[in-house]
Amino acid sequence: MIGTTAPAAPLLSVKGLVKHFPVRKGLLRRTSGHVHAIDGVSFDIAAGETLGLVGESGCGKSTTGKAILKLIEPTAGEIRLSGKRIDGLSRAEMRPYRRQMQVVFQDPYSSLSPRLKIRDIIAEPLANYGEAKGEGTAERVEQLAEKVGLRSDTLDRYPHEFSGGQRQRIGIARALALRPNLIICDEPVSALDVSVQAQVINLLVDLQREFSLAYLFIAHDIAVVEHISHRVAVMYLGKIVEITDRARLFNNPQHPYTEALLSAVPQPDPEAPKKRIILRGDVPSPVNPPPGCRFHTRCPYAFERCSAEEPQLKEIATGHNVACHLRD
């Protein structure tokens, strides 16, 4: 386990991030509505810090990561990297910033080219940015492979010759190639066996300590997030409903949705008392989110104000922000 650290000057700052996807219908493909994938998400990540981003599938976690990387263009909001605003930059203007932030994708097989040898996959970022040439490239690739636990005699194989855990190590080596400050991990262990998950998580922790990396760690498995994160942000239907350090979130959750998520985490002691919170109904459609608090249709504590007024993310204690009328 890693200790909590208070965020210093942010390496990454996200303010009011919005991403709406148009819904088009008919022969003329007219816009009939929008999918509210992200609606006003704000957070900071300090150098060397891990922020875990958790929530149910479809809540907008991965879209948030892609918008920060500008793999998709945000609809509104500000994204600052090392103090420089990047959300309005063109593809050419983004090039110097891309080496500072990299990504590890969820599926370690589809994110690797099946036609390239592992040596060439890891070397590709180095070639794109002119970081190394000739024998220097081969040496750098072998060093990166060693860092993630791959033997140099396996570098001339293809991705299909490796296991899922090994392929994810290849993806991590590629992400490290340009010495980034920030890596966005988009559910990097969800496709792996549990024993392999632990190995990859421990590898990420070791690399963070060695290279002072910052992570945005996106996951739906809150137990994994507890192990690796310094702070945790809980997301529901495109909005962050609670954000604080790991210890406070797990010991004293303040949002009803966070309470429900934590109640679903398996306990190692089968005799320990456990109160499982079962949420009623399904997650509302992001095309037509409910008015007021988006969680009120499933919240066991909802009252009249919740359906009429949207709660704002407010600080209820130092470093602990919650969007819930119960905490006003």
Side-chain angles (χ1 to χ4, degrees), residues 290-297 299 301-311 324-326:
C293 175
R294 295 189 175 184
F295 186 59
H296 84 266
T297 58
C299 181
Y301 313 113
F303 55 102
E304 185 177 354
R305 183 185 177 191
C306 299
S307 60
E309 180 184 340
E310 182 178 331
C324 182
H325 292 310
L326 293 171

Side-chain angles (χ1 to χ4, degrees), residues 70-278:
K70 294 203 48 157
L71 298 179
I72 56 175
E73 287 296 325
T75 304
E78 291 186 9
I79 305 169
R80 295 182 182 271
L81 184 65
S82 300
K84 304 293 184 181
R85 188 169 176 179
I86 64 172
D87 52 273
L89 299 183
S90 66
R91 179 177 296 183
E93 291 169 332
M94 271 298 298
R95 183 172 169 80
Y97 296 96
R98 292 206 179 280
R99 65 187 305 155
Q100 298 180 42
M101 53 181 184
Q102 293 292 312
V103 60
V104 176
F105 292 101
Q106 177 178 1
D107 187 344
Y109 188 66
S110 63
S111 62
L112 303 176
S113 172
R115 299 183 178 184
L116 293 180
K117 294 180 179 180
I118 302 310
R119 184 183 303 277
D120 298 324
I121 289 173
I122 299 175
E124 195 170 25
L126 301 172
N128 286 343
Y129 282 86
E131 281 284 301
K133 296 180 180 179
E135 293 183 1
T137 300
E139 184 178 351
R140 279 286 299 278
V141 168
E142 291 179 6
Q143 289 173 351
L144 288 165
E146 183 181 357
K147 289 292 182 187
V148 300
L150 294 172
R151 302 196 315 271
S152 59
D153 60 358
T154 64
L155 294 177
D156 290 314
R157 299 179 186 175
Y158 291 90
H160 72 272
E161 299 179 76
F162 293 84
S163 67
Q166 289 173 319
R167 285 195 286 260
Q168 197 60 287
R169 290 174 185 268
I170 295 164
I172 294 170
R174 179 178 59 183
L176 287 173
L178 295 174
R179 302 185 182 95
N181 300 318
L182 169 71
I183 296 181
I184 294 180
C185 302
D186 186 7
E187 304 207 32
V189 298
S190 63
L192 307 178
D193 293 337
V194 174
S195 60
V196 180
Q197 285 183 11
Q199 295 172 17
V200 173
I201 291 296
N202 290 333
L203 171 63
L204 289 171
V205 171
D206 291 341
L207 293 172
Q208 181 176 52
R209 289 171 177 160
E210 183 173 354
F211 298 107
S212 299
L213 295 168
Y215 294 139
L216 174 61
F217 193 90
I218 298 167
H220 61 264
D221 187 338
I222 202 163
V224 171
V225 169
E226 180 183 13
H227 182 78
I228 194 172
S229 300
H230 298 103
R231 291 187 301 135
V232 181
V234 180
M235 199 168 185
Y236 182 80
L237 206 61
K239 288 184 174 291
I240 289 179
V241 298
E242 184 166 5
I243 181 169
T244 186
D245 64 72
R246 181 190 62 207
R248 284 186 188 177
L249 188 95
F250 284 87
N251 295 327
N252 188 28
Q254 293 295 303
H255 196 281
Y257 179 61
T258 309
E259 291 179 356
L261 284 181
L262 293 178
S263 76
V265 177
Q267 293 289 339
D269 182 5
E271 303 297 329
K274 184 70 174 176
K275 182 183 178 182
R276 179 76 165 91
I277 300 175
I278 306 296

